[in-house]
Amino acid sequence: MTLDPDAPLDPLPEDVEEELAAVLPETQGSRFGRFLSGAVWHFVAVLLLAAAAFILWREFHDLRPEDLAAAIAAWGWDSTMLAIGFSAMSFLLMGVVELMGLRWAGARIGVVSALAGGFIACAISHSLGANLLVAGAVRARFYAKHGLSLRQVAAATVFNSFTFAVGISTLAGISLLLAGSREIATVSRIANPVADVLGGLLITGVTTYIVLCAVLHRPLRAFGHSVKLPSWRVALAQLVIGTVDNAVAAAILWILLPAGAMGFFAFVGAYAPSVVVGLISHVPGGVGVFEGSVSTLTKGVDHAGLAAAFLGYRLFFFLIPLMIAGLALAADTVHERARRLA
């Protein structure tokens, strides 16, 4: 099937999840291939979760509740409100990307509906597992009343994933290159030569994507699909918004760290790969795996302060948005069913 916003529309089926499983790239292949892939990912998830559990136990097993409470109290109202504000700003930027993706997919939908759909899809998929199928299924359910086709939902979902990938790669690349050898050596376990090489590779990858969008005007064959790349202007917008969004999300955790623990760019050098590891693990929200990775890649940060920052990050960026999105989706579903019965 073609992930092309100009392709003919198809009606939204009842079995949305099953249909999306056949459309979205990550679920392509034979039944045996999907079984083998699923088995491998489950093994990787268990392995990463076990490693994360060991790392977290090693780092925090001697942490006392009173130390954790004191670290949380040390945030102050200013850091707490900043973290909440950064979370709201990040979801707003995700909504902007949602609107861009829907318009690119040819959907005619209002700004408010797109922002609401983007918030609900991102908040739920972040916590339950940020994969294409979960995000696509949530979008399909929410946008059904707006008459969006399955191809439009799939195209918008892939567009969002590309924006995230471009943004996190750009942010990580810039941070690794700008952190500086002295700071990297002091507060991170990433060696400076490794940081320079990784940063250069990431920026090269992002630049290649922009160039492909500029020069490749025919559909690109990938993952069993014919994927039509956006224009170079849209790709640049993906780069800018995706980078700022990921930087704001990183700032939620960074602002809750003890004052002066580490500079922002050095922190992002550990944050960005940890987000990717959490996604690869397929553990819902990367819980434990993300924290274990950040703990491994940073050093010299007070354990109580780091643990408290993890809790705040999970609360402000995952739990509260998930609760709001779940209630909003439930209310929207009830309202739509009542409207149909009326």
Side-chain angles (χ1 to χ4, degrees):
M1 187 172 289
T2 302
L3 287 177
D4 185 343
D6 298 324
L9 302 183
D10 55 345
L12 190 65
E14 289 294 326
D15 299 326
V16 173
E17 290 83 357
E18 183 178 345
E19 292 295 324
L20 280 169
V23 174
L24 292 169
E26 71 171 23
T27 56
Q28 283 296 307
S30 65
R31 289 184 177 181
F32 176 75
R34 290 197 295 270
F35 169 78
L36 182 61
S37 176
V40 170
W41 282 121
H42 279 98
F43 175 76
V44 170
V46 171
L47 186 64
L48 288 175
L49 194 57
F54 171 74
I55 293 170
L56 293 175
W57 177 85
R58 183 191 64 189
E59 297 290 335
F60 302 112
H61 72 277
D62 58 348
L63 183 63
R64 299 180 303 172
E66 53 268 29
D67 294 334
L68 183 61
I72 293 175
W75 292 346
W77 283 106
D78 52 349
S79 294
T80 301
M81 296 309 296
L82 275 174
I84 295 174
F86 285 145
S87 180
M89 186 184 303
S90 178
F91 279 103
L92 178 61
L93 290 170
M94 293 180 207
V96 174
V97 174
E98 183 82 4
L99 180 61
M100 290 172 54
L102 290 170
R103 295 290 170 82
W104 176 74
R108 296 295 177 259
I109 189 170
V111 174
V112 174
S113 296
L115 293 179
F119 169 74
I120 291 174
C122 291
I124 293 177
S125 63
H126 279 180
S127 298
L128 299 185
N131 57 66
L132 296 180
L133 185 56
V134 172
V138 173
R139 284 187 175 91
R141 295 295 185 189
F142 181 81
Y143 293 130
K145 61 181 178 292
H146 296 286
L148 268 69
S149 71
L150 190 62
R151 283 189 178 91
Q152 289 174 326
V153 171
T157 301
V158 172
F159 183 92
N160 276 262
S161 298
F162 264 76
T163 302
F164 169 81
V166 169
I168 197 73
S169 298
T170 304
L171 180 65
I174 293 174
S175 298
L176 289 170
L177 291 174
L178 295 184
S181 58
R182 180 175 301 176
E183 189 177 18
I184 283 286
T186 303
V187 300
S188 174
R189 292 186 172 93
I190 302 175
N192 186 58
V194 175
D196 288 340
V197 171
L198 288 177
L201 288 174
L202 288 170
I203 297 301
T204 300
V206 172
T207 303
T208 301
Y209 170 69
I210 302 297
V211 171
L212 284 176
C213 290
V215 302
L216 195 62
H217 301 297
R218 65 180 186 275
L220 179 66
R221 192 75 182 173
F223 302 108
H225 286 279
S226 181
V227 181
K228 183 178 180 181
L229 294 176
S231 68
W232 66 269
R233 293 182 179 84
V234 173
L236 281 178
Q238 286 181 292
L239 184 151
V240 173
I241 298 175
T243 302
V244 174
D245 177 29
N246 281 283
V248 170
I252 300 170
L253 181 54
W254 178 72
I255 200 68
L256 297 176
L257 292 174
M262 61 194 311
F264 181 72
F265 287 120
F267 169 73
V268 170
Y271 171 88
S274 299
V275 170
V276 175
V277 170
L279 292 174
I280 291 174
S281 73
H282 279 216
V283 175
V287 175
V289 177
F290 168 80
E291 287 82 356
S293 178
V294 172
S295 300
T296 299
L297 294 176
T298 58
K299 62 181 180 180
V301 181
D302 175 68
H303 286 184
L306 183 58
F310 285 148
L311 290 177
Y313 177 73
R314 289 294 176 183
L315 176 64
F316 301 138
F317 196 49
F318 286 84
L319 183 57
I320 292 177
L322 174 62
M323 293 173 61
I324 297 173
L327 291 173
L329 185 60
D332 180 76
T333 302
V334 171
H335 177 268
E336 188 61 20
R337 286 180 178 175
R339 186 186 66 81
R340 290 179 181 178
L341 293 174

